[in-house]
């Protein structure tokens, strides 16, 4: 190992991480087959901490739970706080506490999904660990990846964290009720996101005012009505 | 390797990561000795994306640059945007773009510090990659670690992301001008942070209104006046 930089160690870690990602991919593909077999649509929500993933899920569940059976897997480094918030909405939820680990992986989801097998649901939301970087590398077997950026975070995030956007289908710009208080150029944010991934569907919304929620909820209903369940 | 979980691979990666962290620690210690030899106080700023690290640095530099020679190392997964903002303030800055990597390490800082060696400065700010998880594990050789949470992120972050708080000395609660618009209990946030680390100094502040900035700036000036430079 060279004295000052750990190059050799780094190369070995990178090589093993590549293997680990491949093993994750294999299991993600198995998860995907399992989800299809059970007739469940699975969404993986990725964002920085505090972008409003849990609040969005609370509002979404309130609006849809009488129409579509839902379930949630919550990922956090520590605490059951988010699971408690979701449980209060009356839908099945499994909390994964990663013990500080910076992302969910396909294995964690595989186990959590088995904990949900006594429940019937058509959409499963996975709230990933609050981190705009590491979760992007780990396929969980989801049908759709949703990336969120909130207005207070600033419009430049798609340029600075493009990897989170490459593999996503949906980009939610959250907390748009705060636009009057921030120097946040919505069009610029959309433009940067579409530069990273031209196939993104962008939905700006606010759970507080309800603006944009109709589009999000219709999108979710469309997922189920077009499924082959 | 077991078929469904990649256990063996994981163990091997964890073992190598331990070696990598040890190699990082060795170099961090060398950095620390180098910083002391040069009479530079070094602060490592850690937060989620959008907590206001760059805005805080802009305001700090405006207030202090005539009194204390300053320099900045900027870490981002992509783009030179933050370095351009700091450069506009007229202080030396080195941008590290990690190419998607989720944290800075001691080696990156070692190289960046050498790029600054033609400049004279007493305080070096390192703005880490926007991530409240991974940067916590990597000592850069800093004298002080500063963790930031902004009001829009919510008061529960110290409970959910305690590792970022364990090794920090300073906790800045930023964007407190937004308190009227959020259900953010400042005392609860402080309590959760002190539960993770009772030795934290907590400074709530806003770069927009200037509230709390005096305490932060006095703290920085105190660092230099008590240094043995």
């Amino acid at each position: 190992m060279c004295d000052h930089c750990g190059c050799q160690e780094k190369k070995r870690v990178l090589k093993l991480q590549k293997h680990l990602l491949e093993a994750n991919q294999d299991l993600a593909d198995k998860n995907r087959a399992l989800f299809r077999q059970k007739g469940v649509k699975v969404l993986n929500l990725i964002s920085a901490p505090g972008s409003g993933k849990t609040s969005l899920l609370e509002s979404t569940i309130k609006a849809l739970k009488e129409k579509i059976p839902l379930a949630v897997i919550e990922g956090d480094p520590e605490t059951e706080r988010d699971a408690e918030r979701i449980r209060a909405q009356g839908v099945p939820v499994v909390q994964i506490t990663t013990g500080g680990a910076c992302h969910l992986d396909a294995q964690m989801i595989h186990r959590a999904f088995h904990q949900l097998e006594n429940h019937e649901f058509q959409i499963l939301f996975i709230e990933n660990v609050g981190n705009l970087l590491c979760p992007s590398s780990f396929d969980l077997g989801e049908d759709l990846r949703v990336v969120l950026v909130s207005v207070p975070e600033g419009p430049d995030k798609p340029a600075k964290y493009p990897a989170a956007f490459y593999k996503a289908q949906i980009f939610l710009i959250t907390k748009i009720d705060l636009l009057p208080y921030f120097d946040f150029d919505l069009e610029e944010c959309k433009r940067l996101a579409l530069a990273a991934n031209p196939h993104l569907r962008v939905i700006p919304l606010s759970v507080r005012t309800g603006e944009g929620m109709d589009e999000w909820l219709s999108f979710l209903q469309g997922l189920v009505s077009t499924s082959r369940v």
Side-chain angles (χ1 to χ4, degrees), chain A residues 26-225:
Chain A
D26 287 347
L27 187 50
D29 293 339
K30 290 193 177 78
N31 284 351
R32 192 170 283 110
L34 180 64
F35 300 153
R36 290 205 177 148
Q37 182 195 328
K38 300 269 184 186
V40 176
K41 289 280 179 188
V42 179
L43 285 79
N44 177 8
L45 276 63
I46 294 178
S47 81
S51 296
K53 294 186 294 300
T54 316
S55 298
L56 176 73
L57 288 180
E58 286 174 316
S59 293
T60 303
I61 292 165
K62 271 182 197 154
L64 290 187
K65 70 178 175 183
E66 303 301 332
K67 299 173 191 161
I68 306 171
L70 306 169
V72 176
I73 296 175
E74 281 290 338
D76 280 296
E78 299 292 346
T79 85
E80 290 255 344
R81 285 165 176 259
D82 287 352
E84 285 159 18
R85 287 172 61 184
I86 297 298
R87 202 169 284 125
Q89 301 301 323
V91 298
V93 55
V94 174
Q95 174 83 51
I96 301 171
T97 48
T98 65
C102 53
H103 61 273
L104 297 177
D105 64 28
Q107 181 195 359
M108 298 174 190
I109 296 305
H110 194 86
R111 289 177 181 163
F113 192 75
H114 281 306
Q115 291 182 55
L116 289 167
E117 63 194 354
N118 291 332
H119 299 277
E120 291 291 324
F121 49 92
Q122 285 187 285
I123 296 181
L124 170 65
F125 296 101
I126 301 171
E127 181 178 339
N128 219 307
V129 172
N131 184 341
L132 202 49
L133 285 157
C134 315
S136 316
S137 304
F138 289 81
D139 186 0
L140 306 178
E142 70 267 18
D143 295 285
L144 293 163
R145 192 173 284 194
V146 183
V147 61
L148 299 83
V149 169
S150 65
V151 165
E153 292 169 63
D156 59 351
K157 294 301 165 287
K160 288 165 78 175
Y161 300 82
F165 295 79
Y166 292 153
K167 293 181 194 163
Q169 287 77 34
I170 309 290
F171 172 32
L172 302 181
I173 303 175
T174 60
K175 306 190 188 180
I176 60 167
D177 55 295
L178 296 171
L179 281 170
Y181 310 108
F182 288 88
D183 184 21
F184 187 102
D185 185 334
L186 206 57
E187 292 309 314
E188 170 73 356
C189 187
K190 283 183 196 173
R191 191 185 64 72
L192 293 172
L194 293 171
N197 176 357
H199 305 294
L200 276 178
R201 175 162 175 184
V202 186
I203 308 179
L205 57 78
S206 162
V207 300
R208 197 181 287 184
T209 64
E211 195 180 346
M213 285 297 286
D214 279 353
E215 187 178 349
W216 166 242
L217 297 171
S218 300
F219 168 75
L220 293 173
Q221 289 180 286
L223 284 182
V224 175
S225 65

